[in-house]
Amino acid sequence: MVSGLEDMQGSDIIIMTYLKKAGDIMNQEERRRYLISELLKEQSRYRKMMIPGEEGEQKKLLRSLMNVRMPQRISEKFLATQDEYLSEVREEKGVVTLAETEELQQDLYIWKGDITRLEVGAIVNAANSGMTGCYQPCHNCIDNCIHTYAGIQLRLACAEMNFKVYVLILGRITDIIR
């Protein structure tokens, strides 16, 4: 069971399904509910779980579902909706540029805060051995935060890259053994 989700039952929970016409624009709550409902459908143990009515609990549920999701493909509609949702979350949190950080020496900067707010080309992270991020729901480790706010496609990209590296290494080992 997803941590904290077992407590979500009773009168403060409602079930809603969003059926939007093509071209309709969802607001942030509708996006969040859509993303949650799609992630709940993926796993049989979560299919009957209800979406909480309170915004904070919805955000916690969405993040939990994103955190426990194994690397796999998902629809383009989901990815587009997720990108719209996360873009708005990013705007709400605010973006930090290189100019707002402290330069320690030439080309070396330091900044303390939410790493997911940085507007940079790459983030270096001491990832787990699988490079697929933390699977603990709502854990506030860097790995989990990066994978949550980059979107679920990052986990799949990391898993695919890790597999390619594994195949490359295995091929070289096989060549050495021959």
Side-chain angles (χ1 to χ4, degrees):
M1 180 60 86
V2 177
S3 177
L5 301 183
E6 60 275 359
D7 299 328
M8 294 186 180
Q9 48 188 313
S11 62
D12 59 340
I13 297 175
I14 57 173
I15 299 176
M16 295 185 93
T17 304
Y18 284 93
L19 300 173
K20 299 289 255 179
K21 296 177 189 170
D24 282 354
I25 298 174
M26 289 188 242
N27 64 34
Q28 196 67 338
E29 179 183 0
E30 291 168 330
R31 288 182 196 116
R32 188 172 47 252
R33 287 179 172 279
Y34 169 77
L35 295 171
I36 291 169
S37 67
E38 292 301 302
L39 292 172
L40 288 173
K41 287 181 205 173
E42 285 186 332
Q43 297 185 44
S44 59
R45 65 182 178 202
Y46 300 141
R47 283 192 188 128
K48 293 184 181 182
M49 188 176 288
M50 297 181 197
I51 299 175
E54 202 273 320
E55 178 182 358
E57 291 300 311
Q58 289 173 11
K59 289 178 178 180
K60 181 179 176 184
L61 176 57
L62 176 58
R63 183 165 179 209
S64 295
L65 292 167
M66 292 172 80
N67 295 159
V68 300
R69 187 177 191 272
M70 298 304 290
Q72 58 189 333
R73 302 215 179 278
I74 198 158
S75 74
E76 289 298 321
K77 180 180 178 183
F78 181 95
L79 292 174
T81 304
Q82 174 198 248
D83 289 349
E84 291 171 7
Y85 179 80
L86 292 176
S87 291
E88 191 164 317
V89 168
R90 181 176 186 239
E91 290 303 313
E92 290 169 3
K93 289 168 48 171
V95 176
V96 176
T97 64
L98 188 61
E100 299 171 77
T101 62
E102 179 184 343
E103 186 173 18
L104 294 180
Q105 63 186 46
Q106 186 176 353
D107 296 329
L108 180 61
Y109 297 82
I110 189 167
W111 182 76
K112 183 179 179 180
D114 180 350
I115 196 170
T116 64
R117 292 181 56 212
L118 292 173
E119 186 172 284
V120 294
I123 297 173
V124 178
N125 175 38
N128 63 18
S129 61
M131 290 183 14
T132 57
C134 173
Y135 289 86
Q136 184 177 337
C138 295
H139 191 232
N140 279 325
C141 66
I142 298 297
D143 227 12
N144 192 304
C145 293
I146 292 169
H147 281 268
T148 297
Y149 295 105
I152 62 171
Q153 67 274 24
L154 177 61
R155 183 166 280 159
L156 177 59
C158 290
E160 289 173 346
M161 182 174 55
N162 199 29
F163 179 75
K164 288 175 186 174
V165 170
Y166 171 77
V167 169
L168 179 66
I169 292 170
L170 185 61
R172 288 193 176 151
I173 291 171
T174 304
D175 288 343
I176 293 169
I177 292 172
R178 290 181 191 172

